Amino acid sequence: MRIGLLTDGGYPYATGESRLWCDRLVRGLAQHEFDLFALSRTAEQEARGWVQLPLQVSRVRTAPLWIADEDTLSLHVPRGLLSRLLSGGGAHSYGRRERRRFTTHFTALATAVCTAGATGAERGDGCEAAGRGQRGDGGRAAATEDTRFTEGLYGLAELACEHGGLPAALRSETAVRILEAACRAPGTGRTVQAATVPDLLAFAAELDRVLRPLSLDWYDEESLGAVDLCHATSGGAAALPGLLAKRFFGVPLLVTEHSVRLRSHYLAAAGTPLSAPVRALLANFHGRLAAEVYRQAALITPGNTHARRWQERCGAEPAKVRTVYPGMESGRFAALGENEGDGGPDTLVWVGRIEPAKDLVALLHAFAEVRGAEPDARLRIIGAPAQGAEGAGYLAHCRALAAQLFPDEAADAHAADDNPVSFEDIGGAEVPDLAQAYAAGGIVVLSSVVEGFPISLVEAMFCGRATVSTDVGAVVEVIGGTGLVVPPRNPRALADACLALLRDPERRARLGSAARARALELFTVEQNLAAFRGIYLELIARAPVRRNAVTADADGGPRPFATPPEAHVLDLWPEPDGILAPEPAERTPSWAGRGVCAGALGGAGDGDA
């Protein structure tokens, strides 16, 4: 079958999220043909190029989300389509009918976004307002706002494809006035009502960036209309093309989220310079968008139960959610197996990216207590700082704290100074590769305060290492009783757990063996590929054949036996619980039948693999 793989800031680029997972998926399912539809986030990401693609990737279409101004956009979009897209510079470039359509659809979307703050995001929970957990009048009001949001979203998409100009219209004075009226309307939250004109301009710019996929030229019978299944590798902007493919062509949508995009937005928003009203509006919008993506998806595959809980809270139907753990390569850890390792049983090892969320400060304070009880214990912190000044500054702070807590020691008058805490990087003489990092000690420690799917724990489990972890994210789900788990931000509990394993080698070995067996059973690439192989076939088997491209041969004539005879009998096909029911014909826009998206962002980085 032909799969449309939708990515945002990852595959096929050499850097980004879910890059390795997507590459393993495409290479592992060689019996299928893949078309890639990729959104890039930065100019640096595009400059680094793509990874080498396998033969089953037949086509790659790319588009930048980071472009904001017309001068930069002209470098990425053909001149003819650019003039079509940005002609006139705003909503005033539309004719009277197009201006009326834009005003109607954008008003509906803005009203839904601004109203969401009064019920959910005003309390920091935008997805609750868009979800399905509301009752009585509140539930009916939420349903009304959901309808407004979807009508506005799809109406803007049709307008963009028929006439172009949507990016400029979203930044126009008309859009700002509509936003201002929606924010001042009765029923909006206090934070949203406090939005000033600069706040509205900032939100309009962010909205233009997020909705940029609506203006692409991917929505015709030769692109997304030709695939059998859309597989979005995340929610948010990556899923927008899948929503339009389902609405316009009836293509089933599969959504995979290893970390919930809405949760990532909440975590990232706290560190931005945006004002409180802008953050509230963005939270409302992303909450509405997440609810619509989950509503239209035929199946949702979170990477862990922690992500699943977020999805269900934000409106995903439990019957459509199926947990599929991300597969990881276990072969490079096989040689290490369940051996004791080079570092000795008295050594604690931490492996990962050094940043504040990992809470190495708590780990160092915990190790101070461990060192007081077990003088021979050592701690090896192996990893590089996160990119940017924050990562480098945090590493310097941790080094200074370690020097303060553990002054250099000497065994006797003739020995050199030694520190029980070391900071090392993978690739050096002592730690040449990742497997050797886990071999450096008998116990692997994770001290994070924020975590999604703990990759370092799974790698430690492949190596047969006993682990001590904080109870965050999907840690408990991954460990499953094969390691010790303590509350986050609690150095005393972390120290006690480490001491318990340091003093009990038999228990440490038993936990390590159980951890390795669990990892090999649940978290390998093979189990991940087997799961998606079955999911692809299941969704296609439940999807009715509706497109002429499927039932026609190379010459345009009918393909023998492509359609069962029952398909020609009226009212015979049952509706499969409404999940994959074909869209009504009247919902298909006039331009979809022509196979042309007249106002699209054409050719932005397009190419054949």
Side-chain angles (χ1 to χ4, degrees), residues 428-496:
E430 296 186 0
V431 189
D433 54 36
L434 188 60
Q436 289 301 315
Y438 293 104
I443 302 172
V444 176
V445 185
L446 184 143
S447 55
S448 302
V449 293
V450 176
E451 194 75 52
F453 186 83
I455 294 177
S456 62
L457 279 189
V458 177
E459 293 170 341
M461 293 167 70
F462 281 137
C463 296
R465 289 297 181 261
T467 59
V468 176
S469 314
T470 49
D471 186 4
V472 292
V475 165
V476 172
E477 180 183 1
V478 168
I479 292 298
T482 65
L484 303 187
V485 180
V486 301
R489 297 189 178 94
N490 193 331
R492 174 64 62 83
L494 191 63
D496 291 343

Side-chain angles (χ1 to χ4, degrees), residues 565-589:
E566 293 86 356
H568 301 285
V569 181
L570 294 178
D571 300 326
L572 184 62
W573 289 92
E575 298 291 338
D577 300 328
I579 294 178
L580 291 177
E583 299 290 342
E586 63 269 19
R587 294 179 66 181
T588 302

Side-chain angles (χ1 to χ4, degrees), residues 360-361 363-368 371 398-409 419-421:
L360 293 182
V361 172
L363 176 60
L364 290 171
H365 283 288
F367 183 68
R371 181 74 172 178
C398 292
R399 287 181 180 273
L401 178 61
Q404 179 182 353
L405 293 174
F406 311 100
D408 289 343
E409 304 172 356
N419 194 299
V421 178

Side-chain angles (χ1 to χ4, degrees), residues 265-318:
H265 168 76
Y266 286 157
L267 294 176
T272 64
L274 299 175
S275 65
V278 177
R279 292 199 303 270
L281 288 169
L282 287 174
N284 297 346
F285 172 81
H286 285 286
R288 293 286 185 198
L289 179 59
E292 175 64 10
V293 169
Y294 297 152
R295 188 163 41 242
Q296 297 300 330
L299 194 66
I300 305 165
T301 55
N304 53 76
T305 304
H306 178 67
R308 176 175 184 150
R309 288 195 295 267
W310 266 86
Q311 291 170 339
E312 292 181 356
R313 188 180 184 186
C314 295
E317 297 178 16

Side-chain angles (χ1 to χ4, degrees), residues 6 29 166 209 239 288 304 323 353 382 413 478 506 537 600:
L6 314 176
L29 301 181
L166 183 60
R209 184 186 63 81
R288 293 286 185 198
N304 53 76
T323 302
R353 184 175 61 248
I382 303 174
V478 168
E506 293 184 359
L537 294 177

Side-chain angles (χ1 to χ4, degrees), residues 323-328 453 519-533:
T323 302
V324 179
Y325 295 118
M328 298 175 58
F453 186 83
L520 292 175
E521 178 184 0
L522 297 178
F523 306 125
T524 61
V525 173
E526 290 75 18
Q527 66 83 23
N528 184 265
L529 293 177
F532 279 105
R533 186 180 295 112

